[in-house]
């Protein structure tokens, strides 16, 4: 009976590790391919608006592109925290 319990615990651990490993790989792929370029693009737009047209245009651009930047940062922060929690266990 004890061996069966040990085997079930080992299977649960393996399934958990596989799930978290897949989460990490998918998130890193998505971050590298989609989120990071979008974040850089939005930040460049705000920077170029400020440099080209002045501080008011930069602030207006930051207001317009602030929401997508915040969404990208919130999504990536939550996933990075989950991945770090898994690796520190």
């Amino acid at each position: 009976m004890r061996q069966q319990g040990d085997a079930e615990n080992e299977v649960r651990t393996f399934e958990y590790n596989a799930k978290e490993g897949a989460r990490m790989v998918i998130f890193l792929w998505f971050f590298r391919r989609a989120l990071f370029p979008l974040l850089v693009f939005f930040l460049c737009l705000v920077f170029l608006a400020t440099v080209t047209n002045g501080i008011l245009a930069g602030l207006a651009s930051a207001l317009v592109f602030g929401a997508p930047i915040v969404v990208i940062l919130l999504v990536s922060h939550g996933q990075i925290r989950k991945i770090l929690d898994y690796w520190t266990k």
Side-chain angles (χ1 to χ4, degrees), residues 2-87:
R2 182 172 178 222
Q3 289 177 340
Q4 183 180 5
D6 290 342
E8 289 175 1
N9 286 337
E10 189 173 329
V11 167
R12 271 193 225 109
T13 302
F14 178 76
E15 288 174 348
Y16 176 75
N17 288 339
K19 182 181 85 171
E20 291 301 319
R23 175 196 309 264
M24 182 186 68
V25 169
I26 290 169
F27 174 71
L28 289 177
W29 178 84
F30 185 64
F31 187 77
R32 191 175 67 205
R33 298 287 183 196
L35 292 182
F36 186 70
L38 278 175
L39 183 64
V40 170
F41 177 72
F42 289 138
L43 291 175
C44 284
L45 287 177
V46 171
F47 176 73
L48 290 175
T50 305
V51 170
T52 305
N53 298 322
I55 192 76
L56 290 177
L59 290 174
S61 179
L63 287 174
V64 170
F65 296 115
I69 290 171
V70 168
V71 168
I72 290 171
L73 292 176
L74 288 176
V75 167
S76 45
H77 176 70
Q79 291 298 317
I80 289 171
R81 188 167 17 121
K82 287 179 185 177
I83 291 170
L84 288 176
D85 287 345
Y86 168 71
W87 283 108

